Amino acid sequence: MDNSLPPADELVLVDRELAQLDARRSQLLARRAWLLQVLYAPAASAAPRPRPPVADATPRSAQNVLLTLGGTLLTIAAVAFTLVSWGSMGIGGRAAVLSVVTSAALAAPVALLRRSLVSTAESVAALGLVLMVLDAYALHRVALPETDGLGYSAVAAAVLAGAWTAYGSALPRLRVPLPVAVVAGQLPLPLGALAAGGGPTAFAWAALVTAAADGAVVLWARPRSVRITAVTGAVALGGWALLTGGWLSLTSPWSGAALLLAGAAVTLYVSWRAPALAVGAAAVAGLAALTAAGGLLRTAVPADWAVPGYVLCALALASLWRTGTVPATGTGAAGTGPADAGEAGTGGAGPADAGAAGTGAAGAGAGGAAAPAGPTGAAPAGAGASGTGAAEAGAAGTGSAGTGVPGAGPAGVGAVGGGAVGGAGRGGGGRGASSAGGGFRLPRGVRLGLAGAGAGVATLGVVWALPPVVAGLLGPMARTTAVWSGEHTGRVLTSYPATAALVLAVAVAALAAVPRLWGRCGALALAWALLTALPVSLGLPYAATLALQLVTSAAALWISVRPGPLTPGLRAPVRQGAEPETGAGPATPWTSWAPRRTGAGTPAVEPATVLGWCAYAGGLASAVSAVALALDVRGATFTVLGVVLALLTGVAALGTDARRVVAAVGAVLTGTGLVCAVAAAGGFADHWTALALLLVPAVTAAVGARTRPRAVALAVEITGAAVALPAFGLAVSRPAFLALVLALGGVIAAATAVRPERRRFASWTAAALFLLATWVRLADWEVTTPEAYTLPVTVPALVLGFLRRRRDTEASSWTAFGPGLAATLLPSLLAAWTDPEWLRPLALGVAALAVTLIGARFRLQALLVLGGVVLALDGLHELAPYVVQVVGALPRWLPPALAGLLLLALGATYEQRLRDARRLRDRVARMR
């Protein structure tokens, strides 16, 4: 028995059951979500505390602002009371008011400081200081009205400075009184000098003494604000004094020298005692001393010798960097020797300049005994007992013992900044470095400042000596006469002092003595400058000037090739991954110039390379100047060009790196100039000169084939090819010669194309030159047929295209045959449209038809498209007259009717025509 429901009823039952299941599932999911929320509900977060509002200003800053404003207002009130309301009170009332208010203002800070109200105390104290100034003013106006104002101000400033110093010392927690006392201390002496009627010299001395006092404050005062104030005052007043001394050295040398030397002594002492200011202060001291010495020398020598005198003094001062040892009395117990030597003795460490650590200034010594006192009880000379310090570059240790001279104070660096300078050796008995026996070394900062001042002044002297160098180098180029006229350009700087050459010579000697690369380069450059300036400074004649320039150029170029004689003593370059050895040691006479250790991996620069390039630049400059000068005389021109050509050829053959390339280019240009000179001397016309210039590219092509390296050969050939351009320009006036010159240039290029490395470029150049020669010849023959100009291009181009297609079957026909076909078909088409005859259009049509058929046969897109387009346009040109006649003979309504029928036919077969056009496009696109 079959109890199954009908399909329709069963479907209704299944749908109902599914709906019930979906409803139940939704209820269960909602219940599950509620249970999860109950079980895992997050704990209620505490309510955030309200953040206090951010203050716009801190309590301390607000307090300072209030105190400042309050003190300022009180000060204004006090000034107004003193200046405006003073006359309404009697003498007793005035004294009582000022005494009470000033005393209260000065006493109040004491109570305020006990309550730790420092800021309030500062404000009240500042008010008290202002009231003291007003008291002084009131005293002058009431009690001492007849007193001179400047004198009274000087005395009042001194009294106030002393009172404020005592007040600030008694209340050290106040920061205002002591700096204000320093400011007041700047006034007494300058104002006193003005009150006494002293002139600028007296005022400058007063300012210098005040600056010296400021220096003492800088050295011995502890508060930073006091030292800063003192430094400011010392710089202002000391600078004024030194500037006045410099002005006096020009008008009254002896007065200025005394002032400058005194200022130099003060500044040098400050630089010695204050290491932080050592370099700047020592430089100022050096400049002051040089100005003083130079001013005195200027009065004893002629005017032309003034600058050399300054330069000699400057070089003597600069030598302190190397020889900065000051003699001292006493003998070190551990031996004698120059400070900073450090390498002598048993167990001695490295040089002090290298920063070696040990006992004493530069070495290591053990068991140093205590220093015995001298007969008079004074400390012995030599190194301070148990004094620790750094010798110039940080060598720390304990100074060894030494015996002193009666009554001698402590000597050596131990007395300056606590640096210990002692002997080095075991048990204090070895032989080592001692500052006592041979003197002590100046601190590094002092030496650096003094040497910098000397070097700066010497540099200014060298700059003063440079105008003759510029005149000697550029004077021949400023030509005012005709070439080969035998006349010479007028001399310049004839009144310039001849001692400029002496300055350059002294500078050369000074730099040559420095065993550093920059020193040798500077000496080399100045030596070249000296030789260049000699003709101007000494007024040498034309022949001597020319000979000296050639000698200078030859010497410089020789040094550029062989710079070895200038490199001895220079440190070796640092190679990648290597460390150089320090040059300091017992056998090194230039300890201060010894090379320092540098980190591994520093890029190396050969000293010989740098020196070579310096000499090379000078040699080229002298050669150019000599050539310019030689243009005055014909024989001199040939001589100089020949010598310069030989020199540059030698450098190109013997030199290295890029110098060979530059020299080779210069040699080609010089040879070009020699050819032009020969042509000019022979009276050649321009077109014959063009033929002569082709000798240069011919020779350079031959030389380049045998020259190595390739960079030099390439530079020679490119320069020679560039020389051919002016040759073409010279032959433009004669078309026949221009064609000949172009053809000869093509021959040279074709000969160069024989070499494999030049084949590609030279072959195209040769082809272009031959083509240009052909065109120029045809134009000279008055040939107007365009095919005569285009076929020489088309035929080689098609041959090259064919060869390329054989080598590369995937090459496009547009690349292989397009340029060659277009070179002839397009100009011929333009000529056919303007040609009334029938022969050219017929020949062009036949040629275009042949090209089109070849393109269709071999499936070459370029041939098919170009040939078809040219054939269609050529046929249109031929049929156009007949079409016009037919159209003129037809009724006027027939053309529109035919056009309408054509449009209807196209519209009816539009889809078919569109498919045909797509197939045609695809077929053409598949062609190569």
Side-chain angles (χ1 to χ4, degrees), residues 59 90 198 277 425 467 507 616 699 769 821 865 878 901:
L277 306 175
Y616 191 59
V699 173
L769 291 175
L821 290 175
V865 172
E878 293 301 315
L901 291 174

Side-chain angles (χ1 to χ4, degrees), residues 171-363:
L171 300 176
R173 297 177 63 183
L174 297 177
R175 293 172 296 179
V176 175
L178 289 180
V180 174
V182 173
V183 173
Q186 311 302 310
L187 302 177
L189 290 180
L191 292 179
L194 293 177
T201 304
F203 183 83
W205 276 104
L208 181 61
V209 173
T210 305
D214 290 334
V217 173
V218 172
L219 295 177
W220 288 300
R222 291 186 178 181
R224 182 180 180 84
S225 59
V226 175
R227 294 203 305 270
I228 293 176
T229 307
V231 166
T232 305
V235 170
L237 293 178
W240 178 265
L242 293 179
L243 290 176
T244 304
W247 172 71
L248 289 175
S249 68
L250 300 176
T251 57
S252 179
W254 287 99
S255 300
L259 182 61
L260 289 170
L261 291 177
V266 172
T267 311
L268 186 61
Y269 180 77
V270 172
S271 68
W272 190 292
R273 295 299 304 272
L277 306 175
V279 177
V284 173
L287 291 175
L290 287 176
T291 306
L296 294 178
L297 283 176
R298 196 180 65 254
T299 61
V301 298
D304 291 350
W305 289 83
V307 175
Y310 279 104
V311 171
L312 290 175
C313 296
L315 293 177
L317 186 64
S319 66
L320 289 178
W321 173 255
R322 177 178 58 86
T323 60
T325 301
V326 179
T329 58
T331 304
T336 61
D340 291 346
E343 61 273 0
T346 306
D353 285 344
T359 304

Side-chain angles (χ1 to χ4, degrees), residues 442 510 706 808 910:
L442 290 174
R706 295 171 175 79
D808 182 12
Y910 176 75

Side-chain angles (χ1 to χ4, degrees), residues 104 106 172 241 281 397 414 424 450 509 525 550 563 604 645-646 655 717 738 777 803 833 877 891 899 916:
L106 295 177
L450 294 176
L550 287 177
L645 178 60
E717 293 180 62
L738 178 59
R777 178 60 66 180
L803 295 176
W833 273 68
H877 172 265
D916 294 341

Side-chain angles (χ1 to χ4, degrees), residues 521-577:
C521 291
L524 183 60
L526 291 182
W528 170 84
L530 173 62
L531 294 177
T532 306
L534 280 180
V536 177
S537 298
L538 302 182
L540 298 180
Y542 175 80
T545 300
L546 192 59
L548 184 58
Q549 286 189 342
L550 287 177
V551 170
T552 303
S553 179
L557 293 177
W558 173 252
I559 293 174
S560 70
V561 176
R562 296 291 183 266
L566 299 181
T567 58
L570 299 180
R571 77 175 151 189
V574 181
R575 298 295 182 186
Q576 185 70 23

